[in-house]
Amino acid sequence: MSERSAPAAEPYPEPTAAAASETTRPVVGILGAGRAGTAFARALLRAGVAVDIASTRPPRALQHHLKIYAPGAVPVVGADIAARARDSSGIVILAVPQEELDEVDPDWVVGTVLIDATNTWQDELLPGWLQAAVDEQLPTSMALAGRFGSARVIKALNHIAHADIDDAARPAAELSQRRALAVAGDDDAARGLVMGLLDRIGFDPVSLGALAAGRIMEPDGPLFNRPLRREDILRFAR
């Protein structure tokens, strides 16, 4: 579950006082503390959502990294990633390189809504179970749904570049003025839960329907890494 290190930088601003002062904030877990995971964390924290985040680094070693890239996020061990989220938002975000997915124990996310924010890149050596799905030209999220069968897997947050998240997340803007993000999943309630979270952090969430529809969110798909409005995504909704 190794993250790809970012260069040294000044710390990001702390969450707003209003967000930091809430005592009953929802909690979201994030597996992966690289560029994507910390970008998700910053957006959540700015929206008043508490964040637990896990990496291959032990929590104590992760503290300095998070102080710079996701101030306010709480480092935890992987086995505890859903300890608070399970009784709160119910959501864990999977943001590790797909080549490292075998390092994520399915038991860690039992009973959660698991957002699959991962992508397949040509230079990665994938786990055998995932490579088999790729070879069969299946959406990778369907393979993850089988691997993490004790969680409800939803495809989301993978088709926006991590570098765009800070500026694109606009919770104060009207929906019509926000960047639209697609959401795909077989469980209607879980899909709705994720859409509510995306709305809270400042995006316009659009349902594509079933998990298989998430194929168009993958690299080289028509939605990938493009600034989209709701109508752009609705063309593909089922």
Side-chain angles (χ1 to χ4, degrees):
M1 203 169 63
S2 60
E3 66 277 342
R4 295 170 181 179
S5 300
E10 292 299 318
Y12 285 89
E14 293 283 349
T16 64
S21 66
E22 294 180 13
T23 58
T24 58
R25 291 187 294 167
V27 181
V28 169
I30 301 177
L31 285 163
R35 292 180 177 91
T38 53
F40 299 149
R42 292 192 299 272
L44 289 162
L45 289 161
R46 284 196 301 270
V49 178
V51 174
D52 289 345
I53 191 165
S55 165
T56 48
R57 307 184 198 184
R60 186 172 180 180
L62 191 57
Q63 287 178 345
H64 180 68
H65 177 77
L66 295 181
K67 184 176 181 180
I68 296 173
Y69 296 107
V74 178
V76 299
V77 296
D80 290 339
I81 195 60
R84 293 201 299 161
R86 191 177 286 111
D87 295 326
S88 177
S89 72
I91 295 174
V92 172
I93 301 174
L94 185 63
V96 303
Q98 287 189 346
E99 62 188 351
E100 306 291 347
L101 284 173
D102 274 345
E103 297 182 30
V104 179
D105 189 333
D107 287 344
W108 295 350
V109 294
V110 170
T112 69
V113 173
L114 183 65
I115 297 179
D116 173 20
T118 71
N119 287 304
T120 302
W121 306 110
Q122 292 183 351
D123 61 343
E124 287 184 304
L125 182 62
L126 301 177
W129 56 269
L130 185 56
Q131 186 62 56
V134 172
D135 291 344
E136 294 179 21
Q137 299 185 331
L138 295 174
T140 55
S141 285
M142 296 185 70
L144 266 71
R147 175 74 173 179
F148 299 98
S150 59
R152 293 176 288 170
V153 173
I154 302 294
K155 189 70 172 179
L157 288 171
N158 71 300
H159 68 99
I160 180 172
H162 62 80
D164 292 344
I165 292 172
D166 286 310
D167 291 334
R170 302 174 60 201
E174 296 292 330
L175 277 177
S176 62
Q177 300 303 313
R178 297 180 183 183
R179 180 163 172 169
L181 293 182
V183 181
D186 292 335
D187 187 293
D188 291 344
R191 193 169 64 245
L193 193 64
V194 172
M195 292 175 70
L197 182 67
L198 296 186
D199 180 17
R200 177 165 181 158
I201 65 176
F203 294 100
D204 181 9
V206 182
S207 175
L208 286 177
L211 191 60
R215 178 64 179 270
I216 63 173
M217 300 161 62
E218 295 179 353
D220 299 326
L223 304 186
F224 190 77
N225 201 23
R226 293 186 173 95
L228 302 168
R229 295 297 187 193
R230 169 170 289 268
E231 57 271 20
D232 300 321
I233 297 177
L234 285 175
R235 293 168 46 210
F236 301 96
R238 296 181 178 179

